[in-house]
Amino acid sequence: MSDMRSLTLISALTLGCATLVALPAIAQNLDAIEKRQELMKENGKAAKAGGAMAKGETEFSAEKANEVFTAMHEIAMDFGNHFPEDSKTGGKTEAAPAIWEKPDAFQAALVKYQKDTQAAIDAAPQDLASFRQQFGMVAQNCKSCHEEFRIDKD
C-alpha cells in the first residue's frame, strides 16, 4: 500500500472514530425540549388569561379562575419530567444550566409552584380580590423560576 493511501486510510479511520466518540456528547433530546416548550406555551396562555382577569381587562369568573389555576397546576405536575441530561442544549431551549447544576433548587422551585397552584385551586376564589391574591402568589413563582432557571433569548 502506498504511503499516501495509508495516510488517507488512517486519517479516515481517525475521523470516523472521533465522530463516534463525539456523538453521545452532542446528542440532544429534542423531544424533551419540545415538550417543555409546549408546556410553557400553554402555561403562558393560562397566565395571560389570569393576568387579563387580574387587571380587569376581562370579567372575573370563578369558573375561569379555576380553569386558569387548574391548567397551571396540571402543567406544573408534568413539567419536571422533561429535563433529562441529554436535553441541556438544542432546539432553541431556554433552559438555564442551573437546572442541572442545582437540581435540588430547581426541584424545590417546581414543588413550590405545584403547591401554590394547588392552594389557589383549593382557595376557589369567588371574587376578584381573592383571585388577585391567589394569582399574585402563583405568578411570583413564574417570575422567580424564570430569573434563575431560564435564559431569555428574546
Side-chain angles (χ1 to χ4, degrees):
M1 189 180 299
S2 73
D3 286 338
M4 186 54 124
R5 285 180 55 189
S6 294
L7 185 58
T8 302
L9 181 60
I10 290 171
S11 295
L13 287 172
T14 302
L15 181 60
C17 289
T19 301
L20 288 175
V21 171
L23 280 177
I26 60 170
Q28 298 170 339
N29 188 336
L30 297 180
D31 290 340
I33 294 167
E34 289 171 7
K35 180 62 178 178
R36 63 186 186 235
Q37 288 172 338
E38 173 188 316
L39 288 169
M40 277 296 100
K41 190 177 285 187
E42 290 303 311
N43 198 67
K45 287 178 187 177
K48 186 175 181 178
M53 209 171 6
K55 293 176 193 173
E57 296 171 356
T58 60
E59 188 175 334
F60 172 79
S61 155
E63 183 180 328
K64 184 65 177 173
N66 184 59
E67 288 174 15
V68 165
F69 292 138
T70 298
M72 294 174 101
H73 181 70
E74 289 173 358
I75 291 163
M77 296 307 292
D78 187 27
F79 190 64
N81 297 323
H82 305 284
F83 290 89
E85 285 288 324
D86 62 351
S87 70
K88 293 178 182 180
T89 62
K92 298 182 183 177
T93 186
E94 294 181 357
I99 291 169
W100 294 274
E101 294 166 359
K102 303 182 210 174
D104 292 341
F106 179 65
Q107 184 63 31
L110 184 57
V111 168
K112 182 175 182 337
Y113 186 53
Q114 292 167 344
K115 287 180 178 179
D116 287 350
T117 53
Q118 184 62 58
I121 293 167
D122 294 345
Q126 297 299 307
D127 58 54
L128 183 57
S130 299
F131 174 75
R132 284 179 175 155
Q133 181 181 11
Q134 294 300 317
F135 187 73
M137 175 183 62
V138 169
Q140 181 58 40
N141 283 285
C142 300
K143 182 178 186 250
S144 64
C145 197
H146 281 204
E147 287 172 354
E148 186 168 4
F149 299 110
R150 177 177 176 244
I151 299 169
D152 190 359
K153 292 188 176 182
D154 294 334

